[in-house]
Amino acid sequence: MKATALAHPNIAFIKYWGNLDENLHIPANGSISLCLEGLTTRTSVLFDPSLEHDHLTLDGQSMQGEPLVRVSAFLDHVRRLARMNIYAQVNSGNNFPSGAGIASSASAFAALALAATSALGFELSEPALSSLARLGSGSACRSIPSGFVEWLPGTCHADSYAISIAPPCHWDLVDCIAIVDRSHKHTGSARGMALAHTSPLQAERIKTAPGRLDRCRQAILKHDFDAFADVVEEDSDLMHAVMRTSTPPLAYMQPATHRIVAAVRNWRKEGHAVCTTVDAGPNVHILCLADEQTFVQTRLKETPGVNEVLTAKPGSGACLAV
Ligand code: PMV
């Protein structure tokens, strides 16, 4: 009744922001992302009949409150699936600095979904495992398949899951993550995206998302960096426009975020294959072709406001570990 799983976070090229069903995390639009190699969550789950409630340790620290409640609520889905009522000891750790502003909920719930179902002897299909991970955190469904991934939004639990559209080796992209602020987000993504419908721009963003998904998918499949850069920056800008025009307004970007985004646009004008995307936080993901990585790292180190740069290549999906 024990299993261990590994999963990577993912960076969205076409963003998920807003739900049709907030409890089930059925998204208002599809999204496309990349799993990030090297940044890893490792989670082991032991179902133990002697436990009186679920236990969670995160990076060696025993957790109570909201993180434990979230993990326990997720394990309830797994227990319902298995028609049993045994509590679990969950030990989870990230090899990337927690609180560095790298969203870890995607890799956390992807690893937990795989470890918990395997501990109970289930072998779910990839779509079923992706749907299950989605219940913990929407974007976690995109950390189950490998490489370049598309979340098919669907309309109900069973048909809202992610699939791989190309393996990690398909395209030599690198994500250079410029850390400008390590503090926790003021408004978590779940609370933030619950406001999306209050923005007059959200309906238009949703209506035009299929076109951007097509452009992004085609750009990836054809290795067309210019087309990729245009649609990725457009989609990130649209999500932040929705955030800023929500009631109450949300501003995740900081002055350093804007400075880096503007600098990268200039580097592209100079002929470099680089572009940016920003999630629900101030850090900037600079996506580039592998042969631009040294240039990007050097220039980022000279850019005021950048505290640290993490890099990640295309990564695999969730897998079992020993
Ligand atoms: O899955 P959540 O609740 O962490 O939401 C993710 C939201 C964004 O990171 C801003 C966008 C995305 O598609 O990953």
Side-chain angles (χ1 to χ4, degrees):
M1 299 254 269
K2 182 176 180 193
T4 301
L6 307 176
H8 305 298
N10 64 73
I11 177 65
F13 301 150
I14 302 296
K15 307 290 190 189
Y16 155 52
W17 195 252
N19 286 299
L20 294 181
D21 183 320
E22 259 172 34
N23 293 320
L24 295 178
H25 303 148
I26 308 294
N29 62 280
S31 50
I32 292 181
S33 62
L34 177 67
C35 293
L36 300 176
E37 189 71 52
L39 309 174
T40 306
T41 299
R42 181 189 181 91
T43 300
S44 66
V45 177
L46 168 70
F47 286 95
D48 178 349
S50 72
L51 294 177
E52 287 175 5
H53 58 87
D54 293 317
H55 294 260
L56 169 67
T57 67
L58 204 52
D59 292 323
Q61 277 201 316
S62 172
M63 308 298 286
Q64 312 294 331
E66 209 246 309
L68 176 61
V69 169
R70 235 176 127 184
V71 162
S72 220
F74 182 79
L75 289 174
D76 285 342
H77 293 297
V78 179
R79 282 186 278 260
R80 262 196 297 279
L81 206 69
R83 295 172 202 273
M84 62 76 153
N85 225 350
I86 301 175
Y87 292 112
Q89 170 71 50
V90 176
N91 296 329
S92 189
N94 295 321
N95 76 344
F96 49 98
S98 54
I102 311 296
S104 56
S105 67
S107 50
F109 283 102
L112 182 61
L114 180 56
T117 49
S118 306
L120 294 174
F122 279 95
E123 241 186 79
L124 295 184
S125 66
E126 188 176 276
L129 190 61
S130 174
S131 290
L132 176 66
R134 195 201 69 237
L135 295 173
S137 165
S139 58
C141 73
R142 298 190 312 236
S143 282
I144 296 290
S146 192
F148 297 81
V149 168
E150 180 161 359
W151 179 359
L152 311 172
T155 52
C156 66
H157 174 65
D159 69 4
S160 184
Y161 56 83
I163 57 167
S164 177
I165 55 172
C169 63
H170 169 75
W171 201 11
D172 259 355
L173 282 188
V174 178
D175 183 7
C176 299
I177 311 166
I179 309 292
V180 306
D181 188 346
R182 286 171 154 269
S183 59
H184 274 286
K185 340 181 190 190
H186 48 83
T187 309
S189 47
R191 263 201 319 132
M193 74 173 78
L195 303 174
H197 72 278
T198 65
S199 162
L201 305 180
Q202 173 72 345
E204 189 61 20
R205 193 187 77 85
I206 300 304
K207 199 172 91 193
T208 53
R212 287 189 301 283
L213 286 162
D214 283 343
R215 283 162 60 201
C216 185
R217 195 186 313 105
Q218 287 310 317
I220 292 170
L221 295 178
K222 292 181 184 155
H223 305 105
D224 181 344
F225 192 88
D226 287 340
F228 174 77
D230 284 346
V231 73
V232 167
E233 291 195 346
E234 185 182 321
D235 192 81
S236 177
D237 285 347
L238 271 170
M239 179 181 74
H240 286 274
V242 166
M243 291 162 162
R244 279 196 296 272
T245 51
S246 294
T247 308
L250 292 169
Y252 288 103
M253 293 195 183
Q254 295 179 3
T257 316
H258 290 287
R259 254 199 321 270
I260 298 163
V261 168
V264 174
R265 279 185 190 166
N266 283 332
W267 303 345
R268 189 152 82 256
K269 279 194 198 126
E270 290 164 16
H272 293 279
V274 292
C275 68
T276 58
T277 187
V278 180
D279 275 343
N283 302 322
V284 184
H285 292 253
I286 296 102
L287 306 162
C288 65
L289 292 180
D291 54 12
E292 298 277 11
Q293 184 179 343
T294 314
F295 164 81
V296 171
Q297 279 174 305
T298 310
R299 294 297 280 269
L300 282 177
K301 279 193 192 122
E302 297 162 356
T303 308
V306 178
N307 294 327
E308 191 184 344
V309 180
L310 303 176
T311 59
K313 292 181 192 307
S316 48
C319 63
L320 287 171
V322 277

